[in-house]
Amino acid sequence: AQTVTQSQPEMSVQEAETVTLSCTYDTSESNYYLFWYKQPPSRQMILVIRQEAYKQQNATENRFSVNFQKAAKSFSLKISDSQLGDTAMYFCAFMSYNNNDMRFGAGTRLTVKP
Amino acid sequence: DGGITQSPKYLFRKEGQNVTLSCEQNLNHDAMYWYRQDPGQGLRLIYYSQIVNDFQKGDIAEGYSVSREKKESFPLTVTSAQKNPTAFYLCASRDTDNQPQHFGDGTRLSIL
């Protein structure tokens, strides 16, 4: 079974600075998807960014980018120019081509300080 | 607007009582999911359904039941067999295989 590990339970960053959240996963499959979701205090789950495993190019979405290292099974999220609204729990998630379920990490609580 | 609606937002259960959490989507998605989230933890899959009248157990299905009689509806029943039901429950749906899941706003269930 696939597992997703987020080794940083909590992190903080100063407003306008850059922060990187770590995620590693374990799978024997070669085709899969990876996601980062944001869960603000409202508890709504918001998709931040996605990466297809067959794509070597790292995904970017405005201030959010990933560093996808397939061989190392690593999928970190970089947030540039951090804003107060980025304060949230961030979850890394794995989804294989073959299964329809999604595996989540335990989350990293990010606090952006003014 | 298309989306996923979960109701109620807050729910209280008495000991020995079954309660049902509603999840409705108007996104025309085939697949629907139920997750449980405990404080400080990630999401754990309870049940999922890929098509109408079909569903599969996730990692923590014991004490829960679901039905999928309509494409847009996937209610979750928390039975009295679930001894620790206090948690935040999230419903999600997904279109085709290469699309991410969309989530509802969740239901917080507490024991009286």
Side-chain angles (χ1 to χ4, degrees):
Chain A
Q2 293 85 3
T3 58
V4 179
T5 302
Q6 294 179 249
S7 59
Q8 306 151 315
E10 295 188 22
M11 294 191 72
S12 64
V13 62
Q14 291 295 132
E15 195 174 8
E17 303 264 309
T18 295
V19 64
T20 299
L21 309 183
S22 301
C23 173
T24 58
Y25 56 94
D26 184 27
T27 184
S28 59
E29 301 182 19
S30 58
N31 294 318
Y32 48 87
Y33 305 98
L34 295 163
F35 306 89
W36 278 98
Y37 279 88
K38 168 185 177 180
Q39 188 180 44
S42 65
R43 304 299 295 270
Q44 185 181 14
M45 292 287 284
I46 303 166
L47 179 66
V48 174
I49 200 166
R50 60 178 289 181
Q51 174 82 40
E52 287 87 351
Y54 67 86
K55 291 185 178 179
Q56 293 187 342
Q57 186 174 7
N58 290 324
T60 62
E61 287 288 341
N62 301 313
R63 298 182 294 106
F64 299 88
S65 62
V66 298
N67 183 5
F68 174 47
Q69 301 289 328
K70 190 173 184 179
K73 297 180 182 176
S74 171
F75 183 60
S76 61
L77 174 70
K78 185 172 80 171
I79 306 174
S80 304
D81 185 25
S82 297
Q83 300 175 0
L84 297 178
D86 295 334
T87 293
M89 283 287 287
Y90 287 82
F91 293 99
C92 178
F94 171 101
M95 185 171 72
S96 72
Y97 275 32
N98 299 323
N99 296 327
N100 281 283
D101 61 353
M102 187 177 285
R103 299 288 169 169
F104 288 84
T108 296
R109 183 178 302 278
L110 177 67
T111 302
V112 180
K113 298 179 179 179
Chain B
D1 288 339
I4 302 173
T5 302
Q6 288 188 242
S7 62
K9 191 173 180 69
Y10 299 96
L11 186 58
F12 298 92
R13 194 191 89 168
K14 296 180 180 179
E15 293 287 343
Q17 185 182 47
N18 293 352
V19 292
T20 298
L21 284 62
S22 171
C23 178
E24 303 278 332
Q25 54 100 357
N26 60 3
L27 300 167
N28 200 34
H29 287 175
D30 288 316
M32 297 187 74
Y33 307 80
W34 273 107
Y35 292 92
R36 170 180 172 140
Q37 185 178 22
D38 292 285
Q41 297 188 31
L43 281 64
R44 292 185 290 168
L45 182 67
I46 305 172
Y47 269 99
Y48 66 100
S49 169
Q50 299 180 51
I51 57 173
V52 174
N53 292 323
D54 184 57
F55 47 84
Q56 287 79 39
K57 293 182 178 180
D59 296 328
I60 55 167
E62 185 174 351
Y64 300 97
S65 66
V66 293
S67 62
R68 188 83 187 279
E69 297 177 1
K70 299 185 296 182
K71 187 176 185 178
E72 59 270 23
S73 179
F74 191 41
L76 173 74
T77 297
V78 184
T79 74
S80 57
Q82 172 49 246
K83 298 306 179 186
N84 185 24
T86 297
F88 187 65
Y89 292 86
L90 281 161
C91 178
S93 70
R94 185 165 64 89
D95 189 3
T96 54
D97 285 345
N98 63 350
Q99 296 300 313
Q101 294 182 4
H102 297 260
F103 286 84
D105 289 341
T107 293
R108 179 174 297 281
L109 174 63
S110 301
I111 295 299
L112 287 177

Short mmCIF file of all heavy atoms in Angstrom, two decimals, chain A residues 16-53:
data_model
loop_
_atom_site.label_atom_id
_atom_site.label_comp_id
_atom_site.label_asym_id
_atom_site.label_seq_id
_atom_site.Cartn_x
_atom_site.Cartn_y
_atom_site.Cartn_z
N ALA A 16 6.36 37.39 3.14
CA ALA A 16 7.19 37.74 1.98
C ALA A 16 8.40 36.82 1.80
O ALA A 16 9.10 36.91 0.79
CB ALA A 16 7.67 39.18 2.01
N GLU A 17 8.63 35.93 2.77
CA GLU A 17 9.75 35.01 2.64
C GLU A 17 9.29 33.74 1.90
O GLU A 17 8.11 33.58 1.58
CB GLU A 17 10.29 34.64 4.02
CG GLU A 17 10.72 35.83 4.86
CD GLU A 17 12.20 36.08 4.74
OE1 GLU A 17 12.99 35.14 4.93
OE2 GLU A 17 12.56 37.26 4.47
N THR A 18 10.25 32.86 1.68
CA THR A 18 9.98 31.59 0.99
C THR A 18 10.07 30.44 1.96
O THR A 18 10.94 30.43 2.85
CB THR A 18 10.99 31.40 -0.16
OG1 THR A 18 10.79 32.43 -1.13
CG2 THR A 18 10.82 30.04 -0.82
N VAL A 19 9.20 29.47 1.80
CA VAL A 19 9.21 28.29 2.68
C VAL A 19 9.01 27.05 1.83
O VAL A 19 8.33 27.09 0.80
CB VAL A 19 8.10 28.41 3.75
CG1 VAL A 19 6.72 28.42 3.12
CG2 VAL A 19 8.21 27.30 4.79
N THR A 20 9.61 25.96 2.27
CA THR A 20 9.48 24.68 1.57
C THR A 20 8.94 23.61 2.50
O THR A 20 9.50 23.40 3.58
CB THR A 20 10.83 24.23 0.98
OG1 THR A 20 11.28 25.21 0.04
CG2 THR A 20 10.68 22.89 0.27
N LEU A 21 7.87 22.96 2.08
CA LEU A 21 7.27 21.88 2.85
C LEU A 21 7.66 20.55 2.21
O LEU A 21 7.58 20.39 1.00
CB LEU A 21 5.74 22.02 2.86
CG LEU A 21 5.17 23.38 3.27
CD1 LEU A 21 3.66 23.34 3.31
CD2 LEU A 21 5.74 23.84 4.59
N SER A 22 8.03 19.59 3.05
CA SER A 22 8.54 18.31 2.55
C SER A 22 7.46 17.24 2.49
O SER A 22 6.52 17.24 3.29
CB SER A 22 9.68 17.82 3.44
OG SER A 22 10.73 18.76 3.46
N CYS A 23 7.62 16.33 1.54
CA CYS A 23 6.72 15.19 1.41
C CYS A 23 7.48 14.06 0.75
O CYS A 23 8.15 14.27 -0.28
CB CYS A 23 5.50 15.56 0.58
SG CYS A 23 4.40 14.16 0.20
N THR A 24 7.41 12.89 1.32
CA THR A 24 7.94 11.70 0.66
C THR A 24 6.83 10.66 0.60
O THR A 24 5.88 10.70 1.38
CB THR A 24 9.15 11.11 1.40
OG1 THR A 24 8.77 10.80 2.74
CG2 THR A 24 10.31 12.09 1.43
N TYR A 25 6.96 9.75 -0.32
CA TYR A 25 5.92 8.74 -0.49
C TYR A 25 6.58 7.42 -0.84
O TYR A 25 7.74 7.36 -1.25
CB TYR A 25 4.92 9.17 -1.57
CG TYR A 25 5.56 9.47 -2.90
CD1 TYR A 25 5.64 8.49 -3.88
CD2 TYR A 25 6.10 10.73 -3.16
CE1 TYR A 25 6.25 8.76 -5.09
CE2 TYR A 25 6.72 10.99 -4.37
CZ TYR A 25 6.78 10.02 -5.34
OH TYR A 25 7.39 10.28 -6.53
N ASP A 26 5.81 6.38 -0.68
CA ASP A 26 6.32 5.05 -0.95
C ASP A 26 5.34 4.34 -1.88
O ASP A 26 4.15 4.23 -1.57
CB ASP A 26 6.48 4.25 0.34
CG ASP A 26 7.11 2.89 0.09
OD1 ASP A 26 7.85 2.76 -0.90
OD2 ASP A 26 6.85 1.97 0.89
N THR A 27 5.82 3.90 -3.02
CA THR A 27 4.99 3.18 -3.96
C THR A 27 5.86 2.33 -4.87
O THR A 27 7.02 2.65 -5.10
CB THR A 27 4.15 4.15 -4.81
OG1 THR A 27 3.27 3.39 -5.66
CG2 THR A 27 5.02 5.05 -5.68
N SER A 28 5.28 1.27 -5.38
CA SER A 28 5.96 0.43 -6.36
C SER A 28 5.46 0.73 -7.77
O SER A 28 5.95 0.16 -8.74
CB SER A 28 5.74 -1.05 -6.04
OG SER A 28 4.36 -1.34 -6.05
N GLU A 29 4.52 1.65 -7.87
CA GLU A 29 3.95 1.98 -9.17
C GLU A 29 4.80 3.04 -9.86
O GLU A 29 5.53 3.79 -9.23
CB GLU A 29 2.52 2.48 -8.99
CG GLU A 29 1.61 1.45 -8.33
CD GLU A 29 0.19 1.93 -8.19
OE1 GLU A 29 -0.19 2.88 -8.91
OE2 GLU A 29 -0.56 1.37 -7.38
N SER A 30 4.67 3.06 -11.18
CA SER A 30 5.43 4.03 -11.96
C SER A 30 4.57 5.18 -12.46
O SER A 30 5.09 6.25 -12.80
CB SER A 30 6.12 3.34 -13.15
OG SER A 30 5.13 2.72 -13.97
N ASN A 31 3.28 4.96 -12.50
CA ASN A 31 2.37 6.01 -12.97
C ASN A 31 1.43 6.42 -11.84
O ASN A 31 0.70 5.59 -11.30
CB ASN A 31 1.55 5.54 -14.17
CG ASN A 31 2.42 5.29 -15.38
OD1 ASN A 31 3.33 6.06 -15.66
ND2 ASN A 31 2.15 4.20 -16.07
N TYR A 32 1.44 7.70 -11.53
CA TYR A 32 0.61 8.17 -10.43
C TYR A 32 0.55 9.70 -10.48
O TYR A 32 1.19 10.34 -11.31
CB TYR A 32 1.16 7.71 -9.07
CG TYR A 32 2.64 7.93 -8.88
CD1 TYR A 32 3.12 9.14 -8.39
CD2 TYR A 32 3.55 6.93 -9.18
CE1 TYR A 32 4.47 9.34 -8.21
CE2 TYR A 32 4.91 7.12 -9.01
CZ TYR A 32 5.37 8.32 -8.52
OH TYR A 32 6.72 8.51 -8.36
N TYR A 33 -0.27 10.24 -9.59
CA TYR A 33 -0.41 11.68 -9.45
C TYR A 33 -0.05 12.08 -8.02
O TYR A 33 -0.27 11.31 -7.08
CB TYR A 33 -1.85 12.13 -9.72
CG TYR A 33 -2.41 11.71 -11.06
CD1 TYR A 33 -3.22 10.59 -11.17
CD2 TYR A 33 -2.14 12.45 -12.20
CE1 TYR A 33 -3.74 10.20 -12.39
CE2 TYR A 33 -2.67 12.06 -13.43
CZ TYR A 33 -3.46 10.95 -13.51
OH TYR A 33 -3.98 10.57 -14.73
N LEU A 34 0.44 13.28 -7.90
CA LEU A 34 0.73 13.85 -6.58
C LEU A 34 0.06 15.21 -6.48
O LEU A 34 -0.02 15.95 -7.47
CB LEU A 34 2.24 13.99 -6.38
CG LEU A 34 3.02 12.68 -6.34
CD1 LEU A 34 4.50 12.93 -6.56
CD2 LEU A 34 2.78 11.96 -5.03
N PHE A 35 -0.40 15.52 -5.29
CA PHE A 35 -1.13 16.76 -5.07
C PHE A 35 -0.69 17.41 -3.75
O PHE A 35 -0.25 16.74 -2.82
CB PHE A 35 -2.64 16.51 -4.96
CG PHE A 35 -3.24 15.75 -6.11
CD1 PHE A 35 -3.30 14.37 -6.08
CD2 PHE A 35 -3.76 16.42 -7.20
CE1 PHE A 35 -3.86 13.65 -7.13
CE2 PHE A 35 -4.32 15.72 -8.26
CZ PHE A 35 -4.37 14.34 -8.22
N TRP A 36 -0.84 18.71 -3.71
CA TRP A 36 -0.80 19.45 -2.45
C TRP A 36 -2.15 20.13 -2.28
O TRP A 36 -2.63 20.83 -3.18
CB TRP A 36 0.31 20.50 -2.45
CG TRP A 36 1.66 19.96 -2.14
CD1 TRP A 36 2.65 19.61 -3.01
CD2 TRP A 36 2.19 19.70 -0.83
NE1 TRP A 36 3.74 19.14 -2.33
CE2 TRP A 36 3.50 19.19 -0.99
CE3 TRP A 36 1.70 19.87 0.47
CZ2 TRP A 36 4.32 18.84 0.08
CZ3 TRP A 36 2.51 19.52 1.53
CH2 TRP A 36 3.81 19.01 1.33
N TYR A 37 -2.74 19.89 -1.09
CA TYR A 37 -3.99 20.54 -0.72
C TYR A 37 -3.72 21.47 0.46
O TYR A 37 -2.90 21.19 1.32
CB TYR A 37 -5.05 19.52 -0.30
CG TYR A 37 -5.77 18.84 -1.43
CD1 TYR A 37 -5.26 17.68 -1.99
CD2 TYR A 37 -6.97 19.34 -1.94
CE1 TYR A 37 -5.93 17.02 -3.03
CE2 TYR A 37 -7.65 18.70 -2.97
CZ TYR A 37 -7.12 17.55 -3.51
OH TYR A 37 -7.78 16.91 -4.53
N LYS A 38 -4.48 22.55 0.49
CA LYS A 38 -4.42 23.52 1.59
C LYS A 38 -5.73 23.45 2.36
O LYS A 38 -6.81 23.40 1.75
CB LYS A 38 -4.22 24.91 0.99
CG LYS A 38 -4.41 26.07 1.94
CD LYS A 38 -4.29 27.39 1.18
CE LYS A 38 -4.56 28.58 2.07
NZ LYS A 38 -4.45 29.87 1.31
N GLN A 39 -5.63 23.43 3.69
CA GLN A 39 -6.83 23.44 4.53
C GLN A 39 -6.73 24.61 5.51
O GLN A 39 -6.09 24.50 6.55
CB GLN A 39 -7.02 22.12 5.27
CG GLN A 39 -8.34 22.02 5.99
CD GLN A 39 -8.53 20.71 6.74
OE1 GLN A 39 -7.61 20.24 7.41
NE2 GLN A 39 -9.71 20.10 6.63
N PRO A 40 -7.33 25.74 5.19
CA PRO A 40 -7.30 26.90 6.10
C PRO A 40 -8.19 26.64 7.31
O PRO A 40 -8.83 25.58 7.39
CB PRO A 40 -7.85 28.03 5.23
CG PRO A 40 -8.68 27.34 4.20
CD PRO A 40 -8.04 26.02 3.96
N PRO A 41 -8.23 27.56 8.26
CA PRO A 41 -9.06 27.36 9.46
C PRO A 41 -10.53 27.06 9.16
O PRO A 41 -11.21 26.46 9.97
CB PRO A 41 -8.89 28.68 10.21
CG PRO A 41 -7.53 29.14 9.83
CD PRO A 41 -7.37 28.75 8.38
N SER A 42 -11.01 27.46 8.01
CA SER A 42 -12.39 27.14 7.63
C SER A 42 -12.60 25.65 7.39
O SER A 42 -13.74 25.19 7.28
CB SER A 42 -12.76 27.90 6.36
OG SER A 42 -11.97 27.45 5.26
N ARG A 43 -11.52 24.89 7.31
CA ARG A 43 -11.51 23.43 7.13
C ARG A 43 -11.81 22.99 5.70
O ARG A 43 -11.83 21.80 5.42
CB ARG A 43 -12.48 22.72 8.08
CG ARG A 43 -12.28 23.00 9.55
CD ARG A 43 -10.93 22.59 10.06
NE ARG A 43 -10.71 21.16 10.02
CZ ARG A 43 -11.00 20.32 11.01
NH1 ARG A 43 -11.59 20.77 12.11
NH2 ARG A 43 -10.72 19.04 10.91
N GLN A 44 -12.02 23.95 4.80
CA GLN A 44 -12.25 23.56 3.41
C GLN A 44 -10.95 23.08 2.78
O GLN A 44 -9.89 23.66 2.99
CB GLN A 44 -12.79 24.74 2.63
CG GLN A 44 -13.19 24.43 1.20
CD GLN A 44 -13.70 25.65 0.46
OE1 GLN A 44 -13.53 26.77 0.90
NE2 GLN A 44 -14.35 25.43 -0.67
N MET A 45 -11.01 22.02 2.01
CA MET A 45 -9.82 21.48 1.33
C MET A 45 -9.72 22.14 -0.04
O MET A 45 -10.63 22.02 -0.88
CB MET A 45 -9.93 19.97 1.18
CG MET A 45 -9.86 19.21 2.48
SD MET A 45 -8.20 19.17 3.18
CE MET A 45 -7.43 17.94 2.12
N ILE A 46 -8.59 22.77 -0.29
CA ILE A 46 -8.39 23.52 -1.53
C ILE A 46 -7.18 22.95 -2.26
O ILE A 46 -6.09 22.86 -1.68
CB ILE A 46 -8.16 25.02 -1.22
CG1 ILE A 46 -9.35 25.58 -0.43
CG2 ILE A 46 -7.94 25.81 -2.51
CD1 ILE A 46 -9.07 26.93 0.19
N LEU A 47 -7.36 22.59 -3.50
CA LEU A 47 -6.24 22.08 -4.29
C LEU A 47 -5.27 23.21 -4.60
O LEU A 47 -5.66 24.25 -5.11
CB LEU A 47 -6.75 21.46 -5.59
CG LEU A 47 -5.68 20.90 -6.52
CD1 LEU A 47 -4.98 19.70 -5.88
CD2 LEU A 47 -6.29 20.51 -7.86
N VAL A 48 -4.00 22.98 -4.29
CA VAL A 48 -2.98 23.99 -4.53
C VAL A 48 -2.25 23.71 -5.84
O VAL A 48 -2.09 24.61 -6.68
CB VAL A 48 -1.95 24.01 -3.36
CG1 VAL A 48 -0.80 24.96 -3.68
CG2 VAL A 48 -2.64 24.40 -2.06
N ILE A 49 -1.82 22.46 -6.01
CA ILE A 49 -1.01 22.14 -7.17
C ILE A 49 -1.01 20.63 -7.38
O ILE A 49 -1.23 19.87 -6.43
CB ILE A 49 0.43 22.68 -6.97
CG1 ILE A 49 1.18 22.81 -8.29
CG2 ILE A 49 1.20 21.85 -5.96
CD1 ILE A 49 2.44 23.65 -8.19
N ARG A 50 -0.80 20.20 -8.61
CA ARG A 50 -0.77 18.78 -8.93
C ARG A 50 0.41 18.49 -9.84
O ARG A 50 0.89 19.36 -10.57
CB ARG A 50 -2.07 18.35 -9.61
CG ARG A 50 -2.33 19.08 -10.92
CD ARG A 50 -3.59 18.58 -11.59
NE ARG A 50 -3.43 17.24 -12.12
CZ ARG A 50 -4.38 16.60 -12.77
NH1 ARG A 50 -5.56 17.17 -12.95
NH2 ARG A 50 -4.18 15.39 -13.23
N GLN A 51 0.85 17.23 -9.80
CA GLN A 51 1.98 16.80 -10.62
C GLN A 51 1.71 15.39 -11.13
O GLN A 51 1.35 14.50 -10.34
CB GLN A 51 3.26 16.79 -9.77
CG GLN A 51 4.49 16.23 -10.46
CD GLN A 51 5.18 17.25 -11.35
OE1 GLN A 51 5.29 18.41 -11.02
NE2 GLN A 51 5.63 16.79 -12.49
N GLU A 52 1.85 15.19 -12.43
CA GLU A 52 1.77 13.84 -12.98
C GLU A 52 3.16 13.23 -12.95
O GLU A 52 4.13 13.88 -13.34
CB GLU A 52 1.26 13.88 -14.43
CG GLU A 52 -0.22 14.20 -14.55
CD GLU A 52 -0.50 15.69 -14.60
OE1 GLU A 52 0.42 16.49 -14.38
OE2 GLU A 52 -1.66 16.07 -14.85
N ALA A 53 3.26 11.99 -12.54
CA ALA A 53 4.56 11.36 -12.35
C ALA A 53 5.33 11.21 -13.66
O ALA A 53 6.56 11.18 -13.66
CB ALA A 53 4.41 10.01 -11.69
#
